[in-house]
Amino acid sequence: MIPIAGKYSTFAPFYDVMSGEYPVYRAGREIGIRALNQLPGTQVLDIGCGTGLNFSLLQQQVSPHGIIVGIDRSPEMLVQARRRAARNGWANVILIQADATELSSTDIGSRITAQGGRAQSDAVLATYALSLMKDWETAWANMVSLAAPGASLCVVDMQKPVGLAATLTPLAKAACWLGGSNIEAHPWTAVERDCADVKAAATRGGHLQIRTGTYNTET
Ligand SMILES: C[S@@+](CC[C@H](N)C(=O)[O-])C[C@H]1O[C@@H](n2cnc3c(N)ncnc32)[C@H](O)[C@@H]1O
């Protein structure tokens, strides 16, 4: 069996077509990114950015003059993200290869500024990424350390469907298993715990959970 990191390396060129984007997962990222409500000119950090499926939606918010920073541990996923940026003529995308559970905000901050960005971002999001990380709480703490005071934070991730859609649980579990995600991780609970003004949403029978909030420096 291919380990999770290996899966994303091997299947990076096929990720966009294999990931169930249009029938299922696009809906979650659209809700989350809309809720971020970023102004043109701001900087957004996308943790576990993969092939950059969030980038076109983020561009609609931060352009012109804004910056998108994508961090992923897989060089092969970043190759796809870089191609997407080049194909679309997005010169404002900064890509950094790093493990989100091992980030040092000083190191990442200086790598971002070296490429024309700012050390701290006005918004930080993770879509379908934290549930892959065994130590997602550390990745969350690292996300927060790269957020500017008052930044918007957003987590979009997966759980078992609920209500009538619960009949689709085997399908949802299979999708998460294939992608290496822990369907029981529920990483959006960190937004509920650590943020103020939390907006909560769910779609696709509750399978996709979206939480957005403002980092609460008083917690
Ligand atoms: C399911 S994909 C989601 C990609 C993208 N966020 C999206 O919404 O399409 C998960 C991504 O998280 C990355 N990833 C997993 N563990 C990571 C870690 N510890 N640090 C950084 N990236 C990680 C994988 O390489 C992969 O690109």
Side-chain angles (χ1 to χ4, degrees), residues 7-136:
K7 275 185 194 177
Y8 284 97
S9 301
T10 308
F11 295 112
F14 315 108
Y15 176 80
D16 291 2
V17 285
M18 288 171 62
S19 62
E21 175 70 0
Y22 276 95
V24 184
Y25 296 104
R26 178 90 180 171
R29 70 177 88 251
E30 281 181 350
I31 296 170
I33 291 171
R34 206 177 309 127
L36 277 179
N37 201 21
Q38 285 303 287
L39 295 171
T42 55
Q43 176 174 297
V44 180
L45 173 59
D46 187 353
I47 295 283
C49 67
T51 62
L53 283 171
N54 288 331
F55 293 174
S56 62
L57 295 164
L58 293 173
Q59 290 288 7
Q60 288 169 23
Q61 299 207 355
V62 304
S63 289
H65 311 308
I67 295 174
I68 296 170
V69 181
I71 292 182
D72 203 283
R73 77 172 169 192
S74 161
E76 292 82 3
M77 293 295 268
L78 290 174
V79 165
Q80 301 304 318
R82 200 163 286 114
R83 283 195 184 142
R84 184 187 303 281
R87 214 168 41 238
N88 288 283
W90 295 329
N92 62 341
V93 174
I94 296 172
L95 296 170
I96 293 177
Q97 196 225 328
D99 187 320
T101 63
E102 295 170 4
L103 299 181
S104 131
S105 56
T106 319
D107 170 48
I108 294 295
S110 53
R111 285 167 74 182
I112 296 172
T113 48
Q115 295 185 65
R118 297 183 286 278
Q120 292 193 308
S121 295
D122 307 295
V124 186
L125 83 155
T127 59
Y128 315 118
L130 291 183
S131 61
L132 258 97
M133 304 177 199
K134 276 203 181 68
D135 191 4
W136 68 261

Side-chain angles (χ1 to χ4, degrees), residues 161-172 205:
V162 294
L164 285 178
T167 52
L168 297 171
T169 296
L171 204 58

